[in-house]
Amino acid sequence: MPQPLISSRARPLTGTLRVPGDKSISHRSLILGGLAIGETRIDGLLEGEDILATAAAMRAFGAKLERLGPGEWRVVGRGVGGLEEPADVIDCGNAGTGIRLLMGAAAGQPIATFFTGDGSLRRRPMGRVAAPLAQMGVQIVSREGGRPPLAVIGPETLMPIAYTLPVASAQVKSAILLAGLAAPGETTVIEPKWTRDHTETMLRHFGAEVRVQDLEDGRHITLVGQPDLSARPVIVPADPSSAAFPAVAALLVEGSELTLPGIGINPLRFGLFQTLLEMGADIELTNTRTEAGEPVADLVVRHSRLKGIEVPAERAPSMIDEYPILAVAAAHAEGTTVMRGLEELRVKESDRLTATAKGLASCGVRVDVTGDDLTVYGAANGVPGDATIPVDLDHRIAMAFLVLGMAAESAIAIDDEAAIATSFPGFKELMNHAGAAIAAWAAGG
Ligand code: S3P
């Protein structure tokens, strides 16, 4: 049964709001913990559905995982090349990151692994991971277009490769590096556009040798294969992609001042905040520090009058998940915001370019999609709202439009809240505690 929600005008958003752990780093900590020798302690793990699916997968591969308390986990790994053949199909749920990284990890043993996922994941392209893995000697059988369900069969010996990424994707890069762990020799990924580097950072943290060189054709990331990974403690920062929602809410709702502690500020993830600062946002970074190799800070965000700007295509990889919420901020800005180079948005949990544009239009905001560029015309007299947005199993579309409702003239509903639990369990309760007015809603009610 779908569970619709409605978001009405919020009171000023105030106080300290604890955003859950980073989704990207959480997936990686469970997978690398499972490939390391010894016991990895993880603190601050995101306990969203995407990550719980990866935890179940790692158990099926024979790693031992135990939850010790909220966000506190212990993983006893099996060593590089030591995963067992899962006895059943691995269900990655909604998680593109989960399936793509696990495909790489599974490839490192001569075992057959069968993967599937929910209706959204089964629509998403996996050929981008299958192509480089096939070059390494892995056999992959999938539905048309590389879509799941699919099987990954690892060879006796993987071949190391040098591979230039045809799309800017940290998931593809990570799948190749995780497979490369089991290959003799050096595996190199060349990325013409830099993408998030959590895999490289964590591989080093667990003792692998990873060299990075910035050359004319892009960043060359070279992993020396067959390392002994040893268990290391991991502290997962709060997710900047999740922090984006309360941050933009605080910018839009008059009188707001929210503190968001311990947010990851890795520059390859920080494009949204850079963009908001350029739009005139009052966002302060304090208490900057490094935890398990990742930079972290506390953010203080205050209500601000934003102005429209042009966001260059080069910035897309550092804020790829944040365009729906940036478009919501742009709807309230003075002037026009142009976001260029959004082709990858079409293959996320939903076609986010279309969902964002259609959703804004139904809330009374003028938008244009030209090729892969999105233009949002700021609604100088306020956003009318008064619409119901289809979520289509996409957590970020759900949260973005609930935030829009907090500052719109009439309330905005979403048709199903379920997807939010994939990345931000407790979103409604945390936002309401800070001053939002999100409630269950019956259609027509
Ligand atoms: C992720 C990479 C990005 C991002 C996703 C998480 C990761 O996907 O959209 O939410 O953890 O590596 P792509 O690799 O498809 O760009």
Side-chain angles (χ1 to χ4, degrees):
M1 272 292 279
Q3 295 154 301
L5 290 181
I6 190 158
S7 175
S8 314
R9 246 177 200 285
R11 298 194 309 275
L13 300 165
T14 54
T16 297
L17 191 150
R18 286 191 189 276
V19 169
D22 188 277
K23 183 155 73 69
S24 293
I25 297 175
S26 294
H27 281 297
R28 287 157 173 82
S29 68
L30 294 178
I31 296 171
L32 283 181
L35 291 171
I37 299 288
E39 179 182 311
T40 293
R41 289 289 188 114
I42 306 170
D43 236 318
L45 189 84
L46 167 64
E47 292 176 328
E49 286 167 4
D50 278 13
I51 303 304
L52 298 179
T54 290
M58 291 313 294
R59 283 197 180 107
F61 282 122
K64 289 202 175 66
L65 282 82
E66 199 186 336
R67 182 178 191 264
L68 305 171
E72 224 185 296
W73 286 60
R74 158 180 187 268
V75 181
V76 181
R78 300 186 56 91
V80 169
L83 300 185
E84 270 175 18
E85 184 169 272
D88 202 347
V89 178
I90 303 276
D91 186 348
C92 292
N94 192 251
T97 309
I99 192 170
R100 293 193 176 113
L101 268 53
L102 288 165
M103 285 171 70
Q109 296 76 196
I111 58 173
T113 310
F114 296 82
F115 290 99
T116 192
D118 71 2
S120 155
L121 194 66
R122 282 184 274 112
R123 291 194 297 257
R124 297 181 66 186
M126 300 299 145
R128 53 178 62 193
V129 175
L133 291 183
Q135 286 185 19
M136 299 175 92
V138 181
Q139 212 186 320
I140 293 176
V141 184
S142 71
R143 288 168 62 232
E144 175 275 322
R147 293 178 165 74
L150 56 82
V152 174
I153 303 162
E156 280 301 331
T157 308
L158 271 170
M159 271 172 308
I161 55 167
Y163 189 81
T164 302
L165 292 182
V167 281
S169 167
Q171 295 176 356
V172 177
K173 168 175 67 178
S174 301
I176 298 167
L177 293 174
L178 289 170
L181 280 172
E186 297 189 346
T187 294
T188 299
V189 179
I190 300 151
E191 41 179 23
K193 293 182 189 161
W194 300 358
T195 68
R196 64 190 72 191
D197 58 0
H198 306 304
T199 302
E200 298 91 301
T201 301
M202 204 180 288
L203 278 168
R204 285 205 186 102
H205 184 65
F206 280 81
E209 186 182 337
V210 181
R211 296 193 307 271
V212 175
Q213 268 182 300
D214 292 323
L215 302 177
E216 221 154 71
D217 59 344
R219 178 164 275 188
H220 289 227
I221 299 135
T222 299
L223 167 74
V224 179
Q226 302 184 329
D228 288 326
L229 296 183
S230 28
R232 293 289 309 276
V234 177
I235 300 170
V236 181
D239 197 326
S241 299
S242 297
F245 299 101
V248 169
L251 291 174
L252 300 189
V253 177
E254 261 177 60
S256 297
E257 174 169 330
L258 267 187
T259 300
L260 307 169
I263 307 295
I265 56 164
N266 183 321
L268 295 167
R269 294 287 299 283
F270 218 56
L272 171 77
F273 290 95
Q274 186 188 342
T275 304
L276 291 171
L277 288 168
E278 287 172 16
M279 293 171 82
D282 181 351
I283 301 175
E284 212 180 301
L285 271 68
T286 60
N287 196 13
T288 304
R289 58 216 186 257
T290 301
E291 285 172 356
E294 292 283 348
V296 170
D298 301 340
L299 305 189
V300 181
V301 186
R302 299 183 190 91
H303 167 66
S304 309
R305 303 230 172 271
L306 303 176
K307 53 182 193 308
I309 59 159
E310 181 159 331
V311 189
E314 300 83 74
R315 202 175 287 171
S318 70
M319 54 177 298
I320 193 66
D321 293 331
E322 280 68 77
Y323 283 100
I325 191 64
L326 174 62
V328 161
H332 276 278
E334 194 188 310
T336 304
T337 300
V338 185
M339 295 161 246
R340 299 205 186 277
L342 307 189
E343 64 273 15
E344 276 296 299
L345 280 199
R346 297 190 193 275
V347 291
K348 294 296 175 191
E349 284 81 335
S350 70
D351 173 351
R352 279 191 185 148
L353 184 49
T354 305
T356 303
K358 274 193 171 168
L360 285 178
S362 66
C363 293
V365 179
R366 214 179 119 212
V367 290
D368 272 340
V369 177
T370 315
D372 297 321
D373 299 343
L374 173 64
T375 303
V376 177
Y377 300 87
N381 301 321
V383 171
D386 192 19
T388 300
I389 308 298
V391 165
D392 196 17
L393 296 174
D394 193 324
H395 52 131
R396 300 203 200 277
I397 294 296
M399 289 186 277
F401 282 94
L402 290 174
V403 169
L404 188 61
M406 293 176 200
E409 274 148 35
S410 304
I412 296 174
I414 58 167
D415 67 349
D416 191 8
E417 71 164 318
I420 295 174
T422 62
S423 70
F424 201 148
F427 175 77
K428 179 179 66 187
E429 292 74 15
L430 282 174
M431 293 306 304
N432 282 348
H433 186 71
I438 306 173
W441 183 65

